[in-house]
Amino acid sequence: MFRFENPDILYLLAIIPVLAVLYYFSTWRKRHRLRQYGDMELLQGLMVDVSVWRPQLKLWLALLALACIIIAFARPQYGSKIDTVERKGIEAIIAIDVSNSMLAEDVRPSRMEKAKMLFSNMVDEMKDDQVGIVVFAGDAFVQLPITNDYVSAKMFLDQIDPSMIRQQGTDIAAALKLARQSFTQRKNVSRAIFVITDGEDNEGGAVEAAKEAKEKGIHVFMLGVGSPEGAHIPIPGTAQYIIDEEGNPVVSRLNEEMCQQIARAGEGAYIYVDNSTSAQSSLQKYVDKLAKSNLESNIYSEYDEQFQGFLLIALLLLIIDVLLLERKTHLLKSLRSFGRASMFLLLLVLSVGLQAQNHRDYVRRGNRFFRDSIYDKAQVEYQKGFQKDSLDVPVQYNLANTLLRQSQPKEAMRLLERAAKAERSPLRRAKIFHNMGLILQSQKQYGPAIQSYMESLRNNPHDNETRYNLVLCQRQLKNNPDNQDKKDDKKDDKDKREQDKQQQQKQNQPKQDEEKQDNTQQQKPKQNEMNKENAEQMLNAALQNERRTQDKVKQQQIRGGQRRLKKQW
């Protein structure tokens, strides 16, 4: 793919036809003046050294050289083609239980935090593998589609908590079915699902779902976190524990038997997760034992500068222009005048070209380090290129990605915002806004993240990954209880203000209350009579509600059928 890094400079090419028109207009005026002196045939005999075609040829040589210089300043580049590279790796889906029971602290610091640390270390060991994340409780949804962007995977892992899903419970079957559908359509690729849970499955069907996954060639590994003795489930932000319908603290226990049954059905393995590091080593061994298959990955080739060829053509044209004279005399004078101007122009162009070349050399070296995952050295090279040309959008974009890989989202966001203002290519603007959306979504700023994803889709409507992240972010914004909490806080503030006003009114009017006591004592018998009538009405309503509930119970017993269990932990 051929492109110009600075396409605005090409507008200077409009000067060339203007200069040509001015030259021919000047030549016409000279001939018109010569006709005033006498016959043109007689004048031509007097001007033997004058050539008709040499000035025109020199003009076009100079104009062509100027065009080549303008094109060189526009920095023509060739590259940006998509190359397919084969790598060795597996496809893995990480399914994490985010029910409230994962907050139990029988495994330090908690079951949830232990699961996140376990899989974060697993992602750190990946090189050519692809990973996706599924979270589940009473329901399941994809947190991150399968990708080889390990930095994004770790960012989404850190943001997982039980508040992501309001429907509590533990539906392992739904998680396995969703994970099975989240793999790519590539053939001859080893696939595995890693489920970490406490095993309190109250929906059923998990063993059958594991068998279906095995029929598709997917291994199911179960990681049981917790202890068989169990522990109480703390309520976040308080010193209390979750209680059942009878008011007793809930004790969540690890169901190892259930986890082992699912692992056997999926022809995987069961790993017990406790406070030691044995689970981490066992998990890594199973990952290494999986067959490594070829994975295709699309990468973009580098942009190579092509301005050197245009500068060489301009140099040759200027040399010919210097050597070609309009007259046969005054050779040295012509060589000096044209040579000085040409050499000055060439030195200026070559100095700019060498600066651009040095700038691109830093970028190329940074790209090599980035491909080898040596992000600290890549950052140094990109920063050198940034110092040479702080307005270069690719340098800003690459440096932002390097900072993002080193867990510096604030600095990366600043560079991406700067690059988005300067970039004009729709495809590259789409990539910039996509990465901005990832950073904002990882920080739970769902509103700005949605705007970034929408801006990315405006520039590239065919990006399915951005479209998926947009839908996921909209769902997270809908399920985020922070907005509702703010509304409740506003309501509480209004209620407090009204209560304060009522208290002030009571303090300001104590005498009026004393004067009304006699009247209220006289009205007490009437109020007592009304209270008796209200009590009889409430008793009748309670009897009717009791009869209705008994009728519903009888109808349910007659109907029979399956009953879906509900669990709030």
Side-chain angles (χ1 to χ4, degrees), residues 394-416:
V395 174
Q396 299 174 12
Y397 178 78
N398 293 344
L399 181 58
N401 289 337
T402 306
L403 294 173
L404 190 59
R405 297 296 192 278
Q406 299 181 86
S407 301
Q408 301 180 26
K410 293 183 179 180
E411 292 78 3
M413 192 67 182
R414 178 177 57 83
L415 287 171
L416 289 175

Short mmCIF file of all heavy atoms in Angstrom, two decimals, residues 394-416:
data_model
loop_
_atom_site.label_atom_id
_atom_site.label_comp_id
_atom_site.label_asym_id
_atom_site.label_seq_id
_atom_site.Cartn_x
_atom_site.Cartn_y
_atom_site.Cartn_z
N PRO A 394 2.13 8.17 14.19
CA PRO A 394 2.52 6.78 14.48
C PRO A 394 3.42 6.65 15.70
O PRO A 394 3.31 5.68 16.46
CB PRO A 394 3.23 6.34 13.20
CG PRO A 394 2.64 7.18 12.13
CD PRO A 394 2.39 8.51 12.78
N VAL A 395 4.32 7.61 15.90
CA VAL A 395 5.18 7.55 17.09
C VAL A 395 4.34 7.70 18.36
O VAL A 395 4.54 6.97 19.35
CB VAL A 395 6.26 8.64 17.01
CG1 VAL A 395 7.05 8.69 18.31
CG2 VAL A 395 7.20 8.36 15.85
N GLN A 396 3.41 8.63 18.36
CA GLN A 396 2.54 8.81 19.53
C GLN A 396 1.72 7.55 19.80
O GLN A 396 1.57 7.13 20.95
CB GLN A 396 1.62 10.01 19.30
CG GLN A 396 2.35 11.33 19.12
CD GLN A 396 1.41 12.46 18.76
OE1 GLN A 396 0.20 12.33 18.86
NE2 GLN A 396 1.97 13.58 18.33
N TYR A 397 1.19 6.96 18.73
CA TYR A 397 0.36 5.76 18.88
C TYR A 397 1.18 4.58 19.41
O TYR A 397 0.76 3.87 20.34
CB TYR A 397 -0.26 5.42 17.53
CG TYR A 397 -1.11 4.17 17.53
CD1 TYR A 397 -2.40 4.18 18.04
CD2 TYR A 397 -0.63 2.98 17.02
CE1 TYR A 397 -3.18 3.05 18.04
CE2 TYR A 397 -1.39 1.83 17.01
CZ TYR A 397 -2.67 1.87 17.52
OH TYR A 397 -3.43 0.72 17.52
N ASN A 398 2.38 4.37 18.83
CA ASN A 398 3.21 3.25 19.27
C ASN A 398 3.72 3.45 20.70
O ASN A 398 3.78 2.51 21.49
CB ASN A 398 4.40 3.07 18.32
CG ASN A 398 3.97 2.61 16.94
OD1 ASN A 398 2.86 2.15 16.76
ND2 ASN A 398 4.84 2.75 15.96
N LEU A 399 4.08 4.69 21.02
CA LEU A 399 4.54 4.96 22.38
C LEU A 399 3.41 4.76 23.39
O LEU A 399 3.63 4.24 24.50
CB LEU A 399 5.07 6.39 22.46
CG LEU A 399 5.62 6.85 23.82
CD1 LEU A 399 6.74 5.92 24.28
CD2 LEU A 399 6.10 8.29 23.75
N ALA A 400 2.19 5.13 23.02
CA ALA A 400 1.04 4.92 23.91
C ALA A 400 0.79 3.43 24.14
O ALA A 400 0.54 3.00 25.27
CB ALA A 400 -0.21 5.57 23.32
N ASN A 401 0.89 2.62 23.09
CA ASN A 401 0.71 1.18 23.26
C ASN A 401 1.80 0.58 24.13
O ASN A 401 1.55 -0.34 24.92
CB ASN A 401 0.70 0.49 21.89
CG ASN A 401 -0.56 0.80 21.11
OD1 ASN A 401 -1.58 1.15 21.70
ND2 ASN A 401 -0.50 0.67 19.81
N THR A 402 3.02 1.08 24.00
CA THR A 402 4.11 0.59 24.84
C THR A 402 3.87 0.93 26.31
O THR A 402 4.10 0.11 27.20
CB THR A 402 5.45 1.18 24.37
OG1 THR A 402 5.62 0.91 22.98
CG2 THR A 402 6.60 0.56 25.13
N LEU A 403 3.43 2.15 26.57
CA LEU A 403 3.11 2.53 27.95
C LEU A 403 1.95 1.71 28.50
O LEU A 403 1.92 1.37 29.68
CB LEU A 403 2.78 4.02 28.01
CG LEU A 403 3.93 4.98 27.68
CD1 LEU A 403 3.43 6.40 27.59
CD2 LEU A 403 5.03 4.87 28.73
N LEU A 404 1.01 1.39 27.64
CA LEU A 404 -0.13 0.59 28.07
C LEU A 404 0.32 -0.81 28.45
O LEU A 404 -0.20 -1.40 29.41
CB LEU A 404 -1.17 0.52 26.95
CG LEU A 404 -2.54 -0.08 27.29
CD1 LEU A 404 -3.20 0.70 28.41
CD2 LEU A 404 -3.42 -0.09 26.07
N ARG A 405 1.27 -1.36 27.72
CA ARG A 405 1.81 -2.68 28.06
C ARG A 405 2.54 -2.67 29.39
O ARG A 405 2.68 -3.69 30.04
CB ARG A 405 2.76 -3.17 26.97
CG ARG A 405 2.14 -3.39 25.60
CD ARG A 405 1.09 -4.49 25.63
NE ARG A 405 0.68 -4.91 24.31
CZ ARG A 405 -0.21 -4.31 23.55
NH1 ARG A 405 -0.79 -3.20 23.98
NH2 ARG A 405 -0.54 -4.79 22.37
N GLN A 406 3.02 -1.52 29.82
CA GLN A 406 3.75 -1.40 31.08
C GLN A 406 2.88 -0.83 32.19
O GLN A 406 3.40 -0.26 33.15
CB GLN A 406 4.98 -0.51 30.87
CG GLN A 406 5.95 -1.07 29.83
CD GLN A 406 7.17 -0.19 29.66
OE1 GLN A 406 8.16 -0.32 30.40
NE2 GLN A 406 7.12 0.71 28.70
N SER A 407 1.56 -0.96 32.04
CA SER A 407 0.60 -0.57 33.08
C SER A 407 0.71 0.91 33.42
O SER A 407 0.77 1.31 34.60
CB SER A 407 0.79 -1.42 34.35
OG SER A 407 0.61 -2.79 34.05
N GLN A 408 0.76 1.76 32.40
CA GLN A 408 0.74 3.20 32.58
C GLN A 408 -0.39 3.79 31.75
O GLN A 408 -0.18 4.45 30.72
CB GLN A 408 2.08 3.81 32.15
CG GLN A 408 3.27 3.28 32.93
CD GLN A 408 4.58 3.90 32.49
OE1 GLN A 408 4.62 5.02 31.98
NE2 GLN A 408 5.66 3.18 32.68
N PRO A 409 -1.65 3.53 32.15
CA PRO A 409 -2.79 3.94 31.32
C PRO A 409 -2.97 5.44 31.21
O PRO A 409 -3.44 5.94 30.20
CB PRO A 409 -3.98 3.27 32.01
CG PRO A 409 -3.55 3.09 33.43
CD PRO A 409 -2.07 2.84 33.38
N LYS A 410 -2.59 6.21 32.24
CA LYS A 410 -2.80 7.66 32.20
C LYS A 410 -1.93 8.31 31.13
O LYS A 410 -2.40 9.12 30.32
CB LYS A 410 -2.50 8.28 33.57
CG LYS A 410 -3.49 7.87 34.65
CD LYS A 410 -3.18 8.56 35.95
CE LYS A 410 -4.19 8.17 37.03
NZ LYS A 410 -3.90 8.84 38.32
N GLU A 411 -0.62 7.94 31.11
CA GLU A 411 0.26 8.50 30.09
C GLU A 411 -0.14 8.04 28.71
O GLU A 411 -0.09 8.80 27.73
CB GLU A 411 1.71 8.09 30.39
CG GLU A 411 2.31 8.72 31.64
CD GLU A 411 1.84 8.06 32.92
OE1 GLU A 411 1.09 7.06 32.80
OE2 GLU A 411 2.20 8.53 34.01
N ALA A 412 -0.56 6.76 28.60
CA ALA A 412 -1.00 6.25 27.30
C ALA A 412 -2.25 6.98 26.81
O ALA A 412 -2.38 7.31 25.63
CB ALA A 412 -1.27 4.75 27.39
N MET A 413 -3.17 7.28 27.73
CA MET A 413 -4.39 7.98 27.36
C MET A 413 -4.07 9.39 26.87
O MET A 413 -4.68 9.88 25.91
CB MET A 413 -5.33 8.04 28.57
CG MET A 413 -6.74 8.49 28.24
SD MET A 413 -7.60 7.30 27.22
CE MET A 413 -9.15 8.14 26.96
N ARG A 414 -3.12 10.04 27.49
CA ARG A 414 -2.76 11.40 27.09
C ARG A 414 -2.20 11.40 25.66
O ARG A 414 -2.56 12.26 24.84
CB ARG A 414 -1.73 11.97 28.06
CG ARG A 414 -1.24 13.35 27.73
CD ARG A 414 -0.28 13.84 28.79
NE ARG A 414 0.83 12.94 28.96
CZ ARG A 414 1.92 12.96 28.19
NH1 ARG A 414 2.01 13.85 27.20
NH2 ARG A 414 2.91 12.13 28.40
N LEU A 415 -1.35 10.43 25.35
CA LEU A 415 -0.79 10.36 24.00
C LEU A 415 -1.83 9.98 22.96
O LEU A 415 -1.82 10.50 21.83
CB LEU A 415 0.36 9.35 23.98
CG LEU A 415 1.65 9.79 24.69
CD1 LEU A 415 2.62 8.62 24.78
CD2 LEU A 415 2.31 10.95 23.94
N LEU A 416 -2.75 9.09 23.33
CA LEU A 416 -3.79 8.70 22.38
C LEU A 416 -4.73 9.87 22.07
O LEU A 416 -5.17 10.04 20.92
CB LEU A 416 -4.58 7.52 22.94
CG LEU A 416 -3.85 6.17 22.98
CD1 LEU A 416 -4.70 5.12 23.66
CD2 LEU A 416 -3.48 5.71 21.57
#
